[in-house]
Amino acid sequence: MFLKYIKITFLSLLAAVSLGSCSDYQKLLRSEDTAAKYAGADSLYNAGKYKKALKLMEQIVPAYRGKPQAERLMFIYANTFYELEDFYLAGYQFDRFETSFPQSDSVEVAAYKSAKSYYQLSPRFSLDQKDTRTALEKMQKYINNYPDSEYRLETNVLVKELREKLEKKDFEVAMQYLNIADYLGSYIPAIEAFENFIVDHPGSAYKKEAYYGRLEAAYKRAITGVPSLVQERLITAQGYYNSFQKYYKNDTSEIKIKADEIAREIEAKKITILEEEPTR
């Protein structure tokens, strides 16, 4: 094993010297010598020449499967994609490394960089958040598996950022349902979206707005719906106002003022309906 290491080290040093020109690199690409390609790839990787290193790695990865050198090769292969900011392939290759080499000294770093790759893929909140959810799952798994990691504090910051992004996305979706309720012909999607938001994000900065949004949607559903169901739906809306009051009774914000106004309108309409009932 020691002799093999000496051989690889010697070949790496030789490669570092010989790959100084394009012609030497092209010759190596066309070569059938996998050991020389391994050494060349390793040398180029260490020199930060990731694009050139990657071309050599892609040629030899299949040949080294099951061999002692495979562990290091697969790690630097994944990390090359990471350094080139090809985060889809980096995340995928680091996942493969974790599965293939669970006892490796590098498995924790691979797990972290896999999660970090998916974090890098997370788009701005207005776009589809599939990658954000994947990143959050990966980050949380990493924290659970490596609670004493040197990356723990950074990972916690990234988790918080991802959660806030999902909160903002979910809240914006609920608001969109409210804004297009007339076009949809129903306020039910908005009510359900706000309810899901409240359940899924209990500590969110948008919690108050979500409680108010649910109240507003329920009230508008009551006054724009079938006349025979107005009273029943007003009672439902009043229940949502009571829930709002539970948390924000002493709030002095504009949202609280608007919520109180809806509550007064609910009471007024309920009284009007009761007064009209005998004449029907």
Side-chain angles (χ1 to χ4, degrees):
M1 188 71 178
F2 178 74
L3 290 175
K4 284 184 178 179
Y5 174 77
I6 292 295
K7 181 181 178 182
I8 291 172
T9 302
F10 173 75
L11 288 171
S12 294
L13 291 171
L14 183 63
V17 174
S18 65
L19 291 178
S21 70
C22 262
S23 60
D24 291 328
Y25 175 70
Q26 292 301 324
K27 286 177 184 177
L28 189 57
L29 282 175
R30 294 192 294 268
S31 170
E32 298 296 327
D33 189 340
T34 55
K37 287 185 176 183
Y38 181 101
D42 192 59
S43 174
L44 290 166
Y45 171 84
N46 289 330
K49 298 179 180 180
Y50 301 114
K51 289 184 179 180
K52 284 188 173 183
L54 180 60
K55 288 185 178 180
L56 290 171
M57 290 181 205
E58 288 172 338
Q59 292 183 351
I60 63 174
V61 162
Y64 277 95
R65 287 197 181 112
K67 295 183 179 181
Q69 302 94 329
E71 180 181 329
R72 171 166 170 77
L73 178 59
M74 292 307 297
F75 182 84
I76 66 174
Y77 184 53
N79 202 50
T80 296
F81 287 117
Y82 187 87
E83 294 294 339
L84 291 173
E85 299 185 358
D86 188 341
F87 295 115
Y88 274 111
L89 285 177
Y92 172 73
Q93 292 298 339
F94 277 124
D95 284 347
R96 287 187 64 191
F97 182 88
E98 284 187 80
T99 302
S100 301
F101 306 100
Q103 303 305 316
S104 171
D105 291 340
S106 301
V107 72
E108 181 182 335
V109 177
Y112 169 75
K113 288 200 168 184
S114 171
K116 189 70 176 291
S117 294
Y118 289 104
Y119 164 82
Q120 296 288 1
L121 292 170
S122 175
R124 63 180 184 273
F125 83 93
S126 59
L127 300 177
D128 182 79
Q129 294 300 304
K130 178 181 177 181
D131 288 327
T132 302
R133 290 183 170 84
T134 301
L136 190 56
E137 290 173 6
K138 292 282 186 181
M139 287 285 178
Q140 195 59 61
K141 180 181 177 182
Y142 177 79
I143 291 171
N144 294 340
N145 290 342
Y146 305 100
D148 299 320
S149 167
E150 63 179 294
Y151 303 113
R152 178 175 54 84
L153 293 178
E154 179 188 354
T155 305
N156 284 332
V157 171
L158 298 182
V159 165
K160 184 175 183 292
E161 181 183 329
L162 292 170
R163 283 178 175 164
E164 288 175 352
K165 187 181 292 187
L166 289 179
E167 287 177 11
K168 191 170 184 179
K169 175 66 175 181
D170 290 347
F171 179 73
E172 289 297 321
V173 168
M175 286 300 299
Q176 285 174 8
Y177 278 128
L178 179 59
N179 293 333
I180 64 171
D182 289 337
Y183 174 78
L184 292 175
S186 174
Y187 282 91
I188 293 177
I191 295 171
E192 291 179 345
F194 282 120
E195 287 184 337
N196 290 337
F197 181 90
I198 291 167
V199 171
D200 294 340
H201 307 289
S204 171
Y206 301 101
K207 181 179 177 181
K208 179 167 63 176
E209 286 85 348
Y211 271 96
Y212 174 78
R214 183 177 64 172
L215 166 62
E216 181 183 351
Y219 174 65
K220 288 183 176 179
R221 180 177 181 238
I223 63 175
T224 60
V226 180
S228 61
L229 297 176
V230 172
Q231 181 79 322
E232 176 187 332
R233 292 176 178 176
L234 285 173
I235 292 172
T236 299
Q238 187 173 45
Y240 290 149
Y241 172 75
N242 293 339
S243 295
F244 181 93
Q245 278 287 87
K246 178 181 177 181
Y247 295 100
Y248 306 107
K249 182 177 181 179
N250 298 319
D251 190 81
T252 58
S253 67
E254 183 179 349
I255 288 178
K256 176 63 163 61
I257 294 171
K258 290 164 68 176
D260 290 344
E261 178 61 28
I262 288 177
R264 287 191 291 272
E265 291 179 7
I266 289 172
E267 286 300 322
K269 290 184 182 301
K270 283 169 62 180
I271 292 171
T272 300
I273 290 170
L274 289 174
E275 290 175 345
E276 292 176 352
E277 278 184 351
T279 63
R280 290 179 181 177

